[in-house]
Amino acid sequence: MRIFSFPIISALIYLFLGVFNSDLKAQSVQEIILAEHSYSNQNWEESNNKYQKLVIDNPYNGEYWYRLAWINHQLSKFEKAKESYLKAIEAGYQLSTSSYNLACLYSLTNSPDSAVQWLSFSFKNGLQGRERLINTDSELDPIRHYPAFKKLLSAVDHDIVKSRTVSWSEDIQFLKTRFETTHYNLFSLIDRPSWDNKFDHLTSNIDLLEDYEIVVKLMQIVASIEAGHSYVIPPFSGEYQFHQLPIQLSEFDDGIYIKQVDENNADIVGYELLSINGHKLSSVIDSVQKVANPENAIMKRSTSLFYLTLTEVLAAYDLANELDSIKLTLRKKDGVIIEKTLKSVPFSPEIVSTRSTLNGWVSMNDKSTFPLPLYLKYPKKAHWFEYVPETGILYAQLNEIRNSETATLKEFGEQLKLISSNNNVSAIILDLRFNNGGNGLLNKDFLLELLEIEQVKTPGQFFTIIGNRTFSAAMLLATQLDQYTETIFIGEPTGGKPSHIGDDNHFVLPNSGLMSSASQTYWQSPVSYDNREWIAPKIYISMTSEHYLNNVDPVIKYLENFFKKD
């Protein structure tokens, strides 16, 4: 069974509504407060009585029905709990969780067909934490060996020895079925015949392909859905672990450069990449972008620079004959062109997620004599700020949509509000260029605090820096800022869309252990006709390799010049 946590409604909110009028046919504020209190304290008998009264007085509130169902679930009053879960579902309240818990009750009461039916309904409505629940929830134990349950989960038998062909066939079918049963509106994104043909062709060619080629084919099929939160993760452990070149690439206005490299190859940091194994870089990107994040053209381009460092991906597209070494053609800062052969290393996802220089690596700006720009000072922090009295700028960097160990997002907003009111702040700069998401449900708390800041409501005093890594929950925030504030977007286009299919929904293929995600939620911009592929800056400012090399942030420099005090 699965409980969904809800915030306790503050008593103060109800008190501000006014004194309860006993002549009205309405729930007493005091009754609601007491019911919430007993529920939060898990006093099930007491809260059962209180919520029974609430649903009689207000049968339209799905949350009341859900809580009454959960209470009876805990009291082992399963038939009453079923009735209440059905009422919650009828009201459209937490469909995936209500139906999952209902399935658990049918499992416990020896009704396997109904249990499977409601499990299927729960999956289709985007049940979160599905893998963990179905594998560990003891309430499903009574139906684990039921054929329909195994079929629903596309279960495979691990007790028999299988050939390579059978193992891959099972995994391919498992992935296909999981996407079809959980992905948001899959066949509005890709037509069914094309989808089926891709999997049929792959299955029929298993014996002709290397293992890494099968993995890349699966990556390509999923990328063809064109949803940025749907993917197959390149394997970073186990039998099928991929390999990578020990470099991190970045595209600047003047070319694609080696931004970071391991210390064994420190001599090439800051060099421009021209070709790989004799293939022009443009043609390499054209090939590997078939597996890159397809959210939009900006994200596809930027993530292609990661995928072309994976030697298995290069080999799958006939861009490499060997997996352990790759020849690069590079241009030095003095214009001299050289060749360098790099040895590959086991792939680690750290290179994808890092916002700072990896341990044992060097960065192209390490030898700069200029101080670090603001955006590079604390890249590991989720959020932080600094007031610059010389310009009156309050700079706030938000790298993750999450609460940090030192402050919640709400508290971060409160801090910005306090600094803004106590200092001569000429402008607020919110930097989202490193922010690739988090928990979008936290945006509201932060946004409500921002909306109380005078500069945020004043044209020309609030700027939001965006870039190709602004994605997912950060896109939701950028869209909300666009809608509700006077912000001026500055920098480069975002890597995400205002309206997009999101929320990672991970699962593991049973034989190979490959990890995949079938995204399951549609996040819509405040208006249904917002079909933008990205948020474009009002003021477009790109970065050159010289900027990065010399610790210059052209965006902040532009704003500092604008707000410089005489």
Side-chain angles (χ1 to χ4, degrees):
M1 60 184 160
R2 183 184 190 211
I3 187 169
F4 192 92
S5 61
F6 305 95
I8 300 174
I9 303 174
S10 170
L12 289 175
I13 295 175
Y14 289 117
L15 292 176
F16 283 128
L17 295 176
V19 179
F20 175 69
N21 188 335
S22 59
D23 294 332
L24 295 177
K25 187 180 179 181
Q27 299 83 61
S28 158
V29 172
Q30 184 179 12
E31 287 177 343
I32 297 172
I33 295 172
L34 291 175
E36 292 223 355
H37 181 72
S38 61
Y39 182 84
S40 64
N41 288 327
Q42 300 183 15
N43 189 333
W44 302 127
E45 290 289 356
E46 181 180 304
S47 58
N48 185 34
N49 296 329
K50 296 184 183 304
Y51 275 98
Q52 281 187 30
K53 186 176 187 308
L54 287 179
V55 297
I56 291 172
D57 292 341
N58 182 0
Y60 303 102
N61 190 304
E63 182 179 8
Y64 292 168
W65 283 113
Y66 178 90
R67 290 191 172 193
L68 182 59
W70 180 253
I71 290 164
N72 281 296
H73 201 144
Q74 304 311 299
L75 294 173
S76 297
K77 298 178 180 179
F78 295 156
E79 295 306 317
K80 289 185 177 180
K82 288 178 187 177
E83 294 173 6
S84 296
Y85 280 133
L86 287 170
K87 286 290 187 179
I89 292 168
E90 183 181 323
Y93 188 79
Q94 299 298 335
L95 290 179
S96 64
T97 307
S98 295
S99 53
Y100 176 82
N101 286 346
L102 186 57
C104 288
L105 290 180
Y106 278 114
S107 172
L108 291 172
T109 55
N110 197 30
S111 300
D113 289 331
S114 295
V116 169
Q117 174 189 343
W118 285 109
L119 272 179
S120 179
F121 183 86
S122 176
F123 295 169
K124 289 177 181 178
N125 282 278
L127 178 67
Q128 293 279 355
R130 167 177 167 166
E131 292 297 314
R132 174 183 58 80
L133 289 168
I134 61 178
N135 286 307
T136 63
D137 196 333
S138 62
E139 291 193 340
L140 295 177
D141 288 348
I143 63 168
R144 290 199 184 279
H145 298 291
Y146 188 63
F149 179 79
K150 288 186 174 182
K151 183 178 180 181
L152 178 66
L153 304 182
S154 302
V156 300
D157 192 341
H158 292 282
D159 295 330
I160 62 173
V161 177
K162 290 170 283 192
S163 68
R164 173 180 179 273
T165 303
V166 170
S167 293
W168 275 119
S169 295
E170 289 181 345
D171 273 10
I172 292 168
Q173 184 59 45
F174 185 96
L175 183 142
K176 181 175 186 289
T177 301
R178 186 57 62 90
F179 269 81
E180 292 170 357
T181 56
T182 65
H183 197 282
Y184 176 84
N185 218 1
L186 178 64
F187 294 115
S188 69
L189 304 170
I190 185 170
D191 67 273
R192 183 66 185 253
S194 173
W195 173 258
D196 290 339
N197 287 338
K198 290 174 189 288
F199 282 98
D200 289 344
H201 184 264
L202 176 56
T203 302
S204 64
N205 284 279
I206 289 173
D207 292 338
L208 302 177
L209 298 170
E210 298 290 340
D211 291 329
Y212 72 82
E213 292 177 304
I214 296 173
V215 176
V216 173
K217 293 288 186 184
L218 288 173
M219 292 164 59
Q220 182 172 321
I221 291 173
V222 172
S224 70
I225 299 171
E226 298 189 350
H229 289 75
S230 298
Y231 46 80
V232 173
I233 300 175
F236 52 87
S237 62
E239 180 182 357
Y240 305 109
Q241 183 172 15
F242 274 20
H243 297 80
Q244 67 181 135
L245 300 179
I247 58 175
Q248 184 189 68
L249 299 170
S250 186
E251 183 164 21
F252 297 101
D253 201 41
D254 52 331
I256 295 172
Y257 287 78
I258 297 177
K259 183 178 178 181
Q260 286 189 46
V261 66
D262 72 343
E263 56 191 5
N264 295 326
N265 298 286
D267 58 308
I268 63 171
V269 69
Y271 288 6
E272 183 183 4
L273 179 60
L274 302 177
S275 69
I276 295 177
N277 283 336
H279 301 280
K280 288 184 178 180
L281 190 56
S282 58
S283 65
V284 175
I285 292 174
D286 286 343
S287 294
V288 303
Q289 70 177 359
K290 296 170 188 173
V291 297
N293 186 314
E295 179 76 1
N296 61 21
I298 306 299
M299 181 61 76
K300 181 179 287 189
R301 174 82 176 182
S302 64
T303 55
S304 291
L305 302 187
F306 154 67
Y307 283 99
L308 65 78
T309 68
L310 299 179
T311 58
E312 281 82 359
V313 172
L314 293 175
Y317 290 114
D318 296 323
L319 299 169
N321 294 321
E322 299 177 2
L323 298 178
D324 61 350
S325 64
I326 301 293
K327 184 175 69 175
L328 307 181
T329 303
L330 306 163
R331 180 184 286 127
K332 299 168 65 175
K333 280 298 178 183
D334 59 8
V336 175
I337 295 176
I338 66 166
E339 290 186 346
K340 173 88 171 185
T341 298
L342 294 187
K343 293 290 185 181
S344 64
V345 297
F347 166 55
S348 168
E350 186 181 15
I351 187 62
V352 186
S353 59
T354 185
R355 297 188 295 265
S356 57
T357 304
L358 293 169
N359 291 332
W361 286 42
V362 296
S363 177
M364 63 186 287
N365 67 328
D366 282 348
K367 294 183 179 180
S368 174
T369 58
F370 299 99
L372 284 173
L374 286 170
Y375 82 103
L376 292 179
K377 286 183 74 171
Y378 305 110
K380 293 183 179 181
K381 290 187 177 183
H383 36 74
W384 67 280
F385 66 88
E386 181 173 316
Y387 174 61
V388 185
E390 294 80 12
T391 58
I393 288 175
L394 174 57
Y395 174 84
Q397 187 174 46
L398 181 56
N399 291 324
E400 300 173 31
I401 307 297
R402 68 172 179 85
N403 298 323
S404 73
E405 295 180 357
T406 57
T408 65
L409 267 180
K410 176 179 173 60
E411 291 168 342
F412 182 56
E414 290 172 344
Q415 292 167 353
L416 297 180
K417 184 169 60 175
L418 181 64
I419 294 295
S420 299
S421 62
N422 292 340
N423 294 273
N424 185 20
V425 174
S426 55
I428 296 175
I429 300 173
L430 180 63
D431 195 340
L432 300 179
R433 73 185 111 178
F434 280 163
N435 197 322
N436 63 2
N439 182 358
L441 298 178
L442 296 176
N443 283 339
K444 178 182 175 182
D445 290 341
F446 179 63
L447 185 62
L448 288 176
E449 297 301 326
L450 282 187
L451 290 174
E452 294 185 13
I453 300 175
E454 195 60 37
Q455 290 86 347
V456 170
K457 299 181 286 186
T458 305
Q461 294 187 11
F462 182 37
F463 296 82
T464 301
I465 305 176
I466 52 176
N468 60 24
R469 294 180 70 171
T470 310
F471 180 67
S472 192
M475 276 306 304
L476 299 180
L477 178 60
T479 304
Q480 291 160 344
L481 294 173
D482 191 22
Q483 182 79 4
Y484 300 117
T485 76
E486 293 293 339
T487 196
I488 296 172
F489 289 107
I490 186 169
E492 300 179 90
T494 61
K497 301 177 182 178
S499 296
H500 61 272
I501 299 169
D503 289 4
D504 296 325
N505 175 28
H506 292 123
F507 60 92
V508 178
L509 302 192
N511 295 311
S512 63
L514 290 179
M515 295 179 62
S516 184
S517 171
S519 51
Q520 56 190 11
T521 308
Y522 183 67
W523 293 95
Q524 183 176 292
S525 170
V527 291
S528 61
Y529 49 83
D530 187 350
N531 296 316
R532 289 176 292 175
E533 285 290 307
W534 48 74
I535 290 180
K538 289 285 186 183
I539 303 171
Y540 175 72
I541 300 177
S542 60
M543 182 173 288
T544 67
S545 61
E546 287 297 317
H547 284 144
Y548 192 84
L549 189 68
N550 293 297
N551 282 332
V552 175
D553 182 350
V555 177
I556 294 297
K557 186 175 182 181
Y558 173 93
L559 292 172
E560 284 177 340
N561 289 336
F562 187 81
F563 289 102
K564 185 179 294 183
K565 297 180 180 180
D566 297 331

